[in-house]
Amino acid sequence: MNDEEESPDSTSEEEDFGQARPHDPDFKGPVVNRNCTDILCCIIFLLFIIGYILLGLVAWVHGDPRRVAYPTDSQGHFCGQKGTPNENKTVLFYFNLLSCASPSVMVNLQCPTTQICVSKCPDKFITYLEMQFLYKKDKSYWEDYRQFCKTNAKPVKSIPQLLLDDDCPTAVFPSKPFLQRCFPDFSTKNGNLTIRSRMLFEDGYGRTRSAIELREAVHRINKIFEARTLGMKVFEDYATTWYWILIGLSIAMVVSWMFLVLMRFIAGLIFWIFMFGVLGIIGYGIWYCFQQYSILQEHPNSTLSIYDIGIQTNISLYFQLQQTWFTLMIILSIIEASVILLLIFLRNRIRIAIFLLKEGSKAIGHIPSTLIYPFLTFILLSICISYWVVTAIFLATSGVPIYKVIAPDGQCIHENKTCDPEIFNTSEIAKACPGALCNFAFYGGKTLYHQYIPAFHVYNLFVFLWLINFVIALGQCTLAGAFAAYYWAAKKPDDIPPHPLLTSFGRATRYHTGSLAFGSLILASIQMLKMVLQYVDKRLKNAQNKFSKLLQCCLKCCFWCLEKVVKFLNRNAYIMIAIYGRNFCRSARDAFNLLMRNILKVAVTDEVTYFVLFLGKILISGSMGILAFLFFTRKMPMIEVGPTSLNYYWVPLLTVTLGSYLIAHGFFSVYAMCVETIFLCFLDDLERNDGSTTRPYYVSPSLLKIFQDNYSRTKKR
């Protein structure tokens, strides 16, 4: 039985999923005469973009990125900013770091003690009373101590008066600058600056404290700055290695380009290169993990476990554990075995995928401009990402200094209320709460703009997701129109319209901006809901309710599946929009019905073509990852140049690896879209035509034969 002969089953399928398209002798590919679609969504999309631009301008006027770069004292002044009295005072000093152990630190995100800018951190233990006693013999003790006091401080005050005026700390500890802040030095070897864990000292309030309490205070305040510390170190690594990262990404771009060009001529050989290359890279990873595991097993000091180091921001510590390398080796071995099994069981479908790639290579060969389009996509995506990041930074730094009442003992009823530092000492709050402070808390304001900054952050993120998905949708629709023009050309390449890519881009932007915005809006909404779900999950991560955790996992799984399904439907809808010029909903329905009417043929190709291209992405990103690992860990003795010291070598390593994968994905997406467009056109071709002289197929005879053979084999099963 031929594919075109109808059976009762096929008739019932057509009734459920619409009628096949009739033969149209005038149909020559993408419709030329078309109208604007989804105009309402287009208008809404343009209004959102205008609002996004206005939001960026307003944030630029009110924001100040310096507030991210410099620490801020209790008066809201920057430490180390040029042109200010604090220009040479680059480090923030806490009067009473022990107060940072208060639970209010995690509520107010502010340590309840006075903070001033200093030029250096203290290098010895000394209390205010000890300084007063030594001051009578040697005036230099006050000169050393006063640099950690306010400008108008004097060395002759009593402790009660000192606490009331809050001019000086009651004691200072040997410290070192960390993230431009003075933190106690707990290192085991640092001259006189060492603080031993069993050391006892006077805190200046007449109480004996231990270094363990000091550690707890540092641990509390570190919870505030932990993410920023990691961010600063990562930024330093990027500043050191950005040149080499760009070189690595450029190499990945060239290699991806070369693979695309070579697939035009030797698609079958390229697949074997993909296959053996990926198996070789994973095999190298297994061998390297086993080697590192063996070295650590023989090392006498390799008895540490994950329970000893706990949760660390320094990921490099985990690579000192045997369990890490053993786990990675097991994971890579499972991946290697899975890839081999997939290649064995999918060998027939891979053969079809190679034929589709060869057909796609012919289309790309006749429309070489499609190989340049990924660069335009990269540029548009870079603009969207940059605008989102800059807007987010300016929004986060918008406003004027806001001061809050902070009580070191946490007993003040006015705690966390807004205050004015200039009149605070004479206010009723100071009288009601002796010892309370009016310290800088954050940047904000009482205007309408400042009140809605959290909503602006959400708006910034949502429009960013919408724009990102729109750029991707525009690229998919543009490429689909160009490749559809190739497929429906009776005599290739003579009947291919001139400048098919540029023509398709013009149609997509002129007539179908609303439809593309509609599809990308649906996807952006799902992604936004996923982020909200992740945020709620993070806030409730300490909940002990097992049912709520199960519900969260189920919702995450459902949203992940929903996103994948919507992406698949959108992609096929954009192909139908590019060909027939109808609105998004009609195009999505037509694409879905076409696929469902030919479900067995769809099962023949499945996702095998994407699997073959995925192997290519893994080969490129894996190869660049191995080279980056050898380079940044200085395991390539033949290369003398390169970064000498890094905080985390995994920062440039992951950047190069993930960046290479995204670059390869961008280039190979041209092939993926080409194959999917050709396949959808092929299904439409089978319904429109019957292969006779009056109604010939547009597909190549070799591809038609292999589809029919595999379709017959699948149907028999």
Side-chain angles (χ1 to χ4, degrees):
M1 180 188 298
N2 294 331
D3 294 348
E4 297 73 26
E5 295 180 8
E6 293 187 355
S7 64
D9 293 337
S10 63
T11 304
S12 62
E13 286 181 2
E14 286 190 358
E15 292 176 356
D16 293 336
F17 301 107
Q19 296 294 325
R21 296 183 186 276
H23 173 68
D24 183 3
D26 297 326
F27 181 76
K28 302 297 182 182
V31 176
V32 176
N33 298 322
R34 54 182 72 194
N35 298 316
C36 295
T37 56
D38 296 304
I39 299 176
L40 179 60
C41 193
C42 179
I43 295 173
I44 296 174
F45 180 61
L46 294 177
L47 290 176
F48 265 78
I49 292 179
I50 294 172
Y52 198 32
I53 295 173
L54 293 177
L55 175 63
L57 294 175
V58 174
W60 182 77
V61 171
H62 290 84
D64 188 355
R66 294 176 302 173
R67 296 168 182 171
V68 178
Y70 299 102
T72 310
D73 64 12
S74 296
Q75 302 302 313
H77 302 144
F78 297 130
C79 297
Q81 183 184 358
K82 294 183 179 180
T84 65
N86 291 333
E87 181 176 357
N88 297 322
K89 299 178 180 180
T90 59
V91 189
L92 191 68
F93 174 75
Y94 298 88
F95 270 23
N96 182 15
L97 193 63
L98 290 167
S99 64
C100 298
S102 169
S104 63
V105 172
M106 301 311 298
V107 177
N108 303 322
L109 297 180
Q110 182 75 4
C111 191
T113 185
T114 301
Q115 304 162 32
I116 63 172
C117 300
V118 296
S119 57
K120 65 174 184 177
C121 296
D123 58 2
K124 58 185 176 183
F125 275 119
I126 187 170
T127 65
Y128 187 80
L129 290 176
E130 290 174 341
M131 183 277 300
Q132 284 183 324
F133 177 77
L134 296 172
Y135 170 71
K136 298 175 182 178
K137 300 178 180 180
D138 189 350
K139 305 294 184 182
S140 63
Y141 282 96
W142 168 242
E143 297 300 323
D144 291 337
Y145 200 89
R146 71 181 301 175
Q147 60 184 323
F148 307 110
C149 300
K150 294 180 180 179
T151 306
N152 58 349
K154 297 180 180 180
V156 292
K157 293 184 178 181
S158 63
I159 291 297
Q161 186 65 34
L162 179 69
L163 295 176
L164 182 61
D165 296 340
D166 197 34
D167 288 337
C168 287
T170 56
V172 295
F173 314 107
S175 308
K176 61 181 179 180
F178 180 69
L179 196 64
Q180 293 182 273
R181 289 166 175 82
C182 291
F183 286 113
D185 187 1
F186 293 100
S187 59
T188 57
K189 184 178 180 181
N190 192 20
N192 296 326
L193 302 187
T194 305
I195 298 179
R196 296 181 296 276
S197 61
R198 296 182 180 179
M199 180 179 289
L200 301 177
F201 56 88
E202 296 289 334
D203 64 355
Y205 294 93
R207 290 173 292 182
T208 301
R209 313 295 286 265
S210 70
I212 296 177
E213 295 178 82
L214 200 57
R215 280 183 182 272
E216 177 63 22
V218 173
H219 176 70
R220 288 275 186 176
I221 198 170
N222 271 347
K223 284 185 176 296
I224 302 175
F225 302 114
E226 188 178 54
R228 188 173 176 182
T229 303
L230 179 62
M232 291 295 290
K233 288 187 176 182
V234 168
F235 178 79
E236 291 175 0
D237 289 340
Y238 277 128
T240 305
T241 61
W242 67 269
Y243 178 75
W244 304 105
I245 290 174
L246 288 180
I247 292 178
L249 296 180
S250 300
I251 294 175
M253 188 175 296
V254 172
V255 172
S256 301
W257 180 282
M258 289 177 57
F259 272 123
L260 286 184
V261 175
L262 290 175
M263 286 177 69
R264 169 70 177 88
F265 305 100
I266 49 174
L269 179 60
I270 291 296
F271 165 73
W272 291 106
I273 294 175
F274 286 170
M275 183 183 69
F276 287 113
V278 170
L279 294 177
I281 288 174
I282 300 176
Y284 173 81
I286 295 172
W287 171 81
Y288 187 83
C289 291
F290 177 76
Q291 186 184 48
Q292 294 299 313
Y293 173 77
S294 301
I295 293 174
L296 289 175
Q297 198 172 30
E298 297 173 359
H299 199 277
N301 298 323
S302 61
T303 57
L304 286 176
S305 68
I306 187 67
Y307 302 103
D308 297 320
I309 67 172
I311 304 300
Q312 299 287 336
T313 57
N314 187 357
I315 300 179
S316 302
L317 293 176
Y318 293 109
F319 292 101
Q320 301 175 13
L321 305 178
Q322 296 181 35
Q323 297 98 316
T324 301
W325 294 107
F326 182 77
T327 303
L328 290 175
M329 182 176 65
I330 295 299
I331 293 174
L332 290 177
S333 299
I334 294 174
I335 295 175
E336 181 92 338
S338 301
V339 172
I340 293 175
L341 291 176
L342 283 173
L343 292 172
I344 293 174
F345 288 107
L346 297 178
R347 58 188 183 276
N348 290 327
R349 295 187 178 183
I350 288 175
R351 182 165 163 260
I352 302 175
I354 293 176
F355 270 91
L356 281 172
L357 290 175
K358 288 181 178 179
E359 191 69 21
S361 299
K362 295 178 183 178
I364 293 175
H366 292 306
I367 313 175
S369 56
T370 53
L371 295 178
I372 304 175
Y373 193 82
F375 291 103
L376 176 61
T377 302
F378 289 146
I379 293 173
L380 294 176
L381 291 177
S382 299
I383 293 173
C384 294
I385 294 172
S386 301
Y387 189 86
W388 169 67
V389 170
V390 172
T391 303
I393 292 175
F394 274 91
L395 281 174
T397 57
S398 295
V400 296
I402 299 297
Y403 301 88
K404 295 280 188 178
V405 176
I406 297 178
D409 57 3
Q411 302 299 320
C412 180
I413 60 174
H414 301 287
E415 187 173 16
N416 210 32
K417 288 185 178 180
T418 305
C419 59
D420 186 348
E422 296 183 359
I423 61 173
F424 180 75
N425 291 334
T426 60
S427 65
E428 295 297 328
I429 297 178
K431 297 176 182 179
C433 303
L437 304 173
C438 181
N439 282 359
F440 166 78
F442 55 86
Y443 292 98
K446 297 182 179 180
T447 65
L448 187 64
Y449 167 76
H450 295 104
Q451 293 176 2
Y452 283 95
I453 282 181
F456 291 150
H457 276 293
V458 175
Y459 181 82
N460 182 33
L461 178 60
F462 178 74
V463 181
F464 165 72
L465 293 175
W466 196 355
L467 285 173
I468 289 293
N469 286 292
F470 177 81
V471 170
I472 296 174
L474 178 61
Q476 291 175 342
C477 189
T478 300
L479 291 173
F483 293 130
Y486 161 82
Y487 181 91
W488 294 107
K491 295 181 180 179
K492 304 175 179 64
D494 297 335
D495 291 343
I496 299 177
H499 312 296
L501 184 69
L502 186 61
T503 302
S504 179
F505 180 81
R507 288 173 182 163
T509 53
R510 180 180 178 184
Y511 297 107
H512 307 301
T513 298
S515 297
L516 301 180
F518 191 8
S520 55
L521 173 62
I522 297 173
L523 194 54
S525 301
I526 295 173
Q527 293 168 346
M528 193 70 185
L529 289 175
K530 282 180 59 181
M531 292 183 178
V532 171
L533 186 65
Q534 290 174 355
Y535 173 77
V536 173
D537 183 41
K538 184 178 180 181
R539 294 297 298 268
L540 301 177
K541 64 180 179 180
N542 295 325
Q544 300 300 320
N545 191 329
K546 294 183 178 180
F547 175 76
S548 63
K549 292 182 179 180
L550 176 63
L551 182 62
Q552 290 280 351
C553 292
C554 293
L555 288 175
K556 286 182 180 179
C557 180
C558 291
F559 274 105
W560 182 84
C561 295
L562 179 62
E563 183 181 7
K564 295 297 181 183
V565 171
V566 171
K567 283 184 176 180
F568 174 78
L569 293 176
N570 281 7
R571 198 164 54 242
N572 287 280
Y574 299 147
I575 295 174
M576 302 302 283
I577 289 173
I579 298 174
Y580 296 104
R582 291 168 178 162
N583 61 50
F584 176 80
C585 293
R586 175 69 182 275
S587 299
R589 187 191 67 183
D590 291 345
F592 178 77
N593 289 339
L594 179 62
L595 293 173
M596 293 304 297
R597 289 197 300 267
N598 299 273
I599 190 63
L600 291 179
K601 299 183 182 69
V602 175
V604 170
T605 56
D606 211 9
E607 294 290 321
V608 179
T609 304
Y610 292 98
F611 174 71
V612 173
L613 295 176
F614 177 72
L615 291 179
K617 300 172 192 177
I618 294 298
L619 175 61
I620 294 174
S621 58
S623 301
M624 295 306 304
I626 291 176
L627 291 176
F629 173 77
L630 297 175
F631 179 76
F632 291 116
T633 56
R634 304 188 69 80
K635 297 183 182 297
M636 300 175 68
M638 71 288 298
I639 300 179
E640 298 295 334
V641 296
T644 55
S645 61
L646 295 172
N647 295 308
Y648 309 119
Y649 73 84
W650 53 264
V651 171
L653 171 61
L654 290 181
T655 303
V656 171
T657 304
L658 295 177
S660 299
Y661 180 85
L662 292 176
I663 289 173
H665 175 75
F667 279 99
F668 286 4
S669 63
V670 175
Y671 259 93
M673 202 63 198
C674 178
V675 169
E676 192 153 358
T677 302
I678 289 176
F679 181 68
L680 213 61
C681 291
F682 166 72
L683 297 180
D684 199 10
D685 189 12
L686 291 183
E687 292 185 348
R688 284 177 173 274
N689 305 301
D690 56 9
S692 62
T693 55
T694 57
R695 297 169 57 185
Y697 290 129
Y698 287 81
V699 67
S700 61
S702 57
L703 186 60
L704 177 62
K705 183 178 184 303
I706 192 173
F707 262 114
Q708 288 178 336
D709 292 343
N710 282 273
Y711 169 66
S712 301
R713 191 182 300 113
T714 304
K715 197 171 182 179
K716 288 178 181 179
R717 293 176 184 174

